[in-house]
Amino acid sequence: MNPTEFAAALAQKGIELNDQQMEQYQAYYQYLAEMNEVMDLTNIIEEGEVYLKHFYDSLTLAWAYPALQTEPLKMVDVGAGAGFPSIPLKIAFPQLEITIVDSLQKRIGFLRNLVQKLDLKNVTLIHGRAEEFGQHGAPQRAKFDVVTARALKAMPMLVEMTLPLVKVGGVLLAMKGSRAAEELEAAQKAIPIVGGQVKEQVEVDLPNGDSRQIIVIEKVKPTPFKYPRKFGDIKNKTL
């Protein structure tokens, strides 16, 4: 998928990109390719693959949860790595207020430089772990409209680590692959414990014929104070 095909595929979904946005995606790709030579950011680096499997794939959240396209939502991206899905979403929908939490300082450094290069506003970068960021008493607990994570942890762990960050009425958008139903089944107990309720499961297609499952979990009640637990407890004894 070259940049022209990327723009055309998004236009078919009703998402029109202007010249500045297309330049931002290209600058993103170029900086990612440059820095990937000295940092382990992604295994996918060929331009067409980045546009398809990183940029386009990130934007599938926008038709699974259309409010991302128009509303000034506060969104937190946990374990964003090289910035997926939050930075591609921010480029397409600049009204979003983005917070990125990542446990590796070097990735936060990469993202800080990227945000400056792309001249993105209202992007906050935090070096830390999600389960610490969402502790009872932490200033950002229950402050976000949307939390997302792309291929981060199995669902029982994921919901405990991320749902405490979402305000009641907000959502977790979990990006999953072919084992989505199996993971959702494994998390049936954990989801209500931390205040969530499965709203819907949306299948989105990529232009190459691949598909992805986006599980939308609504925060319907406050997360009990004792969650999230320490990471060792979350890992060793899932809810």
Side-chain angles (χ1 to χ4, degrees), residues 28 58 74-91 96-116 118 120-130 133 140 144 146-150 152 165:
Y28 190 172
S58 294
K74 292 183 177 182
M75 177 180 181
V76 58
D77 186 2
V78 176
F84 310 120
S86 52
I87 299 297
L89 284 165
K90 176 65 176 177
I91 294 171
L96 295 173
E97 185 175 329
I98 301 293
T99 298
I100 295 175
V101 182
D102 198 275
S103 61
L104 283 185
Q105 184 66 60
K106 68 177 182 179
R107 286 200 293 249
I108 291 295
F110 164 80
L111 292 168
R112 183 173 293 111
N113 290 335
L114 175 66
V115 166
Q116 292 175 350
L118 303 184
L120 300 177
K121 309 301 182 186
N122 293 320
V123 177
T124 301
L125 304 170
I126 296 175
H127 174 230
R129 299 189 63 90
F133 189 55
Q140 298 297 336
F144 296 95
V146 179
V147 62
T148 189
R150 186 176 184 241
L152 177 73
L165 297 169

Side-chain angles (χ1 to χ4, degrees), residues 31 69-70 115 151 205 232:
Y31 187 58
Q69 301 182 37
T70 57
V115 166
D205 296 321

Side-chain angles (χ1 to χ4, degrees), residues 62 65-73 93 95-96:
Y65 195 68
L68 289 171
Q69 301 182 37
T70 57
E71 301 300 316
L73 301 176
F93 313 112
Q95 86 286 349
L96 295 173

Side-chain angles (χ1 to χ4, degrees), residues 139-212:
Q140 298 297 336
R141 181 181 169 100
K143 297 298 183 184
F144 296 95
D145 302 298
V146 179
V147 62
T148 189
R150 186 176 184 241
L152 177 73
K153 309 300 182 186
M155 280 294 290
M157 296 176 64
L158 178 64
V159 295
E160 182 175 351
M161 293 169 67
T162 60
L163 268 181
L165 297 169
V166 183
K167 63 179 68 172
V168 172
V171 295
L172 160 63
L173 303 177
M175 305 179 77
K176 294 293 180 181
S178 59
R179 298 181 59 192
E182 180 181 337
E183 287 203 43
L184 196 54
E185 176 69 23
Q188 276 194 337
K189 180 181 177 182
I191 292 170
I193 287 176
V194 293
Q197 177 178 296
V198 178
K199 184 177 181 181
E200 59 183 324
Q201 186 172 338
V202 183
E203 182 171 348
V204 292
D205 296 321
L206 274 64
N208 67 345
D210 290 347
S211 64
R212 172 187 283 289

Side-chain angles (χ1 to χ4, degrees), residues 31-46:
Y31 187 58
L32 177 67
E34 174 190 340
M35 294 307 297
N36 203 61
E37 294 183 2
V38 294
M39 296 174 61
D40 184 19
L41 292 167
T42 176
N43 293 325
I44 297 170
I45 205 59
E46 190 274 323

